Amino acid sequence: MSIAEIKETKSNLIAWIEQLSDSNMLTVLDSLRNSEQDGDWWDNLPEWQKQHINEGIEDEENGRVISSEEFWKNLKNG
């Protein structure tokens, strides 16, 4: 990402945040901001969560995935 793209992204995010009224979204964003100060979020995850994430990555690497369209279609019909 170029410096100009970074500046534009920051500007767009600031404008979006200023218009937010959803307190849940603001809480999520604040948590994200605070988590950056606490070091790498990965280090704070329990082992079972790390294992699930790694399994998901392995599934993707081995082609064991479906599109979001297929997922929602299956969910709707299931």
Side-chain angles (χ1 to χ4, degrees):
M1 192 178 268
S2 71
I3 293 174
E5 290 171 322
I6 290 171
K7 287 182 178 183
E8 182 180 359
T9 299
K10 285 181 179 181
S11 179
N12 290 339
L13 285 170
I14 290 167
W16 175 66
I17 290 169
E18 287 177 343
Q19 294 181 8
L20 278 177
S21 59
D22 181 347
S23 63
N24 291 329
M25 180 59 77
L26 290 168
T27 300
V28 167
L29 291 171
D30 193 43
S31 295
L32 181 62
R33 181 183 61 86
N34 289 330
S35 71
E36 195 172 282
Q37 297 170 358
D38 297 335
D40 191 335
W41 60 270
W42 180 262
D43 295 333
N44 297 322
L45 290 178
E47 285 304 314
W48 66 268
Q49 286 182 328
K50 291 178 184 179
Q51 182 179 352
H52 283 289
I53 292 168
N54 285 327
E55 288 171 3
I57 292 169
E58 186 178 311
D59 283 344
E60 192 280 328
E61 289 173 346
N62 291 303
R64 296 186 301 259
V65 295
I66 61 173
S67 68
S68 60
E69 180 181 333
E70 197 175 342
F71 169 82
W72 289 112
K73 182 180 174 183
N74 291 342
L75 187 64
K76 188 176 181 179
N77 295 331

